Amino acid sequence: MPTTIAITGKGGTGKTVVSALTVLTLVEHNWCPLLAVDADPNLNLDAALGLKVEATVGGVREEAGSRRRAEPGGMSTAEFLEYRIHQALLEAEGFDLLAMGRPEGPGCYCYANEILRGALDRLTAAYRAIVVDCEAGLEHFSRRTAGDLDLLLILSDPTTRGLETARRVLDLLTEVRTKVGESKVVLNRVRGEPPASLRERADRLGFPIAAWLPEDEQVRALDAAGRPLTELGPDSPLRVAVTNLYMDCGLIG
Ligand SMILES: Nc1ncnc2c1ncn2[C@@H]1O[C@H](COP(=O)(O)OP(=O)(O)OP(=O)(O)O)[C@@H](O)[C@H]1O
Ligand SMILES: [Mg+2]
């Protein structure tokens, strides 16, 4: 069974940046083969990793849904789906990337979804680690489009309001259908010394802050230039902090 890590949080808290650095860090520490999953319909994990997605699981589902169950003389829908999913898989150095794309539109997708789930289960079983860049919100955990997770990082900005949102996410986790092994609240874009007041607030809210990720000028510069995070130097403060986070989690030595 692969080890699955998902990164969630409010819009703009750094999910895609931290997901991309998680992929690069784990691959660097030989967590191979690794599958990166972009579960945000807005698709930006590919650009962060210097790739360009052409096809998504949602697109394959649409195509399969508009097909008849078995085209005479052709592939069955199940064979077709399996084939197209493998085509949608982007191969990069040390990892593959799969983009989920849009959730299903109106119409009946039961049959397509059923075989899709089987195809995805078979595909993901072949990996040692899976890293999921989530869309903001917990809907996909309720819909159970995400499989069970070993580790969930809940990203927040370093504000009291951000911590309160993280508390709500932790509470919601007890209601969703996805099983979550461990969940950790991580503050991102912290400038300077972490303020003691936030640590105290988190204490009062009943959870520890697992990591403080710094505001990183190198990340900002790459973003402004439209360059991928694969070009980030090994001394980037955010990269170092993400490595330390996975060391603390015991995932890398
Ligand atoms: N530690 C950091 N230092 C500097 N810039 C950062 C840092 N983390 C994120 N950013 C920048 O903040 C912006 C939002 O980051 P990102 O796209 O990763 O957030 P997100 O949570 O995935 O957003 P969305 O909810 O839209 O998917 C980007 O411009 C990114 O480069
Ligand atoms: Mg994102």
Side-chain angles (χ1 to χ4, degrees), residues 50-91:
L51 304 167
K52 176 83 189 94
V53 158
E54 304 288 350
T56 68
V57 172
V60 173
R61 186 202 289 114
E62 287 294 330
E63 259 186 282
S66 59
R67 257 173 138 249
R68 282 187 287 154
R69 286 200 173 202
E71 307 242 318
M75 281 185 203
S76 69
T77 300
E79 284 167 337
F80 172 79
L81 258 167
E82 192 111 26
Y83 167 72
R84 298 291 279 165
I85 291 289
H86 278 93
Q87 270 191 330
L89 198 66
L90 263 182
E91 285 178 29

Side-chain angles (χ1 to χ4, degrees), residues 10-246:
K10 270 200 313 184
T13 45
K15 297 180 290 296
T16 300
V17 166
V18 173
S19 298
L21 289 182
T22 299
V23 169
L24 299 175
T25 303
L26 293 185
V27 167
E28 200 177 277
H29 288 83
N30 297 320
W31 275 87
C32 299
L34 181 145
L35 177 66
V37 176
D38 191 347
D40 185 343
N42 286 323
L43 306 185
N44 35 42
L45 186 60
D46 59 341
L49 288 165
L51 304 167
K52 176 83 189 94
V53 158
E54 304 288 350
T56 68
V57 172
V60 173
R61 186 202 289 114
E62 287 294 330
E63 259 186 282
S66 59
R67 257 173 138 249
R68 282 187 287 154
R69 286 200 173 202
E71 307 242 318
M75 281 185 203
S76 69
T77 300
E79 284 167 337
F80 172 79
L81 258 167
E82 192 111 26
Y83 167 72
R84 298 291 279 165
I85 291 289
H86 278 93
Q87 270 191 330
L89 198 66
L90 263 182
E91 285 178 29
E93 226 169 290
F95 66 93
D96 294 341
L97 173 70
L98 188 67
M100 299 309 287
R102 312 228 139 263
E104 63 220 41
C108 180
Y109 292 85
C110 303
Y111 181 64
N113 272 340
E114 195 186 303
I115 31 183
L116 197 59
R117 189 153 304 142
L120 286 176
D121 283 348
R122 274 191 297 284
L123 177 89
T124 51
Y127 291 91
R128 194 163 162 232
I130 302 177
V131 176
V132 187
D133 177 12
C134 298
E135 65 176 314
L138 286 183
E139 251 176 57
H140 47 297
F141 295 125
S142 312
R143 279 192 258 116
R144 214 167 190 297
T145 40
D148 292 341
L149 305 176
D150 297 286
L151 175 63
L152 178 68
L153 297 188
I154 302 165
L155 287 195
S156 164
D157 44 29
T159 63
T160 311
R161 196 174 287 175
L163 290 179
E164 285 158 2
T165 307
R167 178 68 263 173
R168 276 197 294 281
V169 173
L170 286 168
D171 293 341
L172 274 171
L173 283 180
T174 57
E175 296 167 20
V176 299
R177 294 170 66 199
T178 299
K179 282 198 209 109
V180 179
E182 247 193 305
S183 45
K184 289 180 185 283
V185 176
V186 171
L187 301 197
N188 185 26
R189 308 200 73 166
V190 179
R191 289 166 196 266
E193 275 303 298
S197 58
L198 285 182
R199 208 185 297 272
E200 286 158 15
R201 182 76 188 124
D203 271 352
R204 280 202 299 280
L205 288 165
F207 58 83
I209 295 169
W212 305 76
L213 306 179
E215 174 75 21
D216 188 328
E217 290 307 322
Q218 291 189 39
V219 172
R220 287 241 298 262
L222 284 177
D223 195 33
R227 313 287 317 164
L229 292 165
T230 43
E231 294 180 13
L232 207 57
D235 60 336
S236 130
L238 183 58
R239 191 163 187 161
V240 171
V242 168
T243 303
N244 290 339
L245 165 64
Y246 289 111

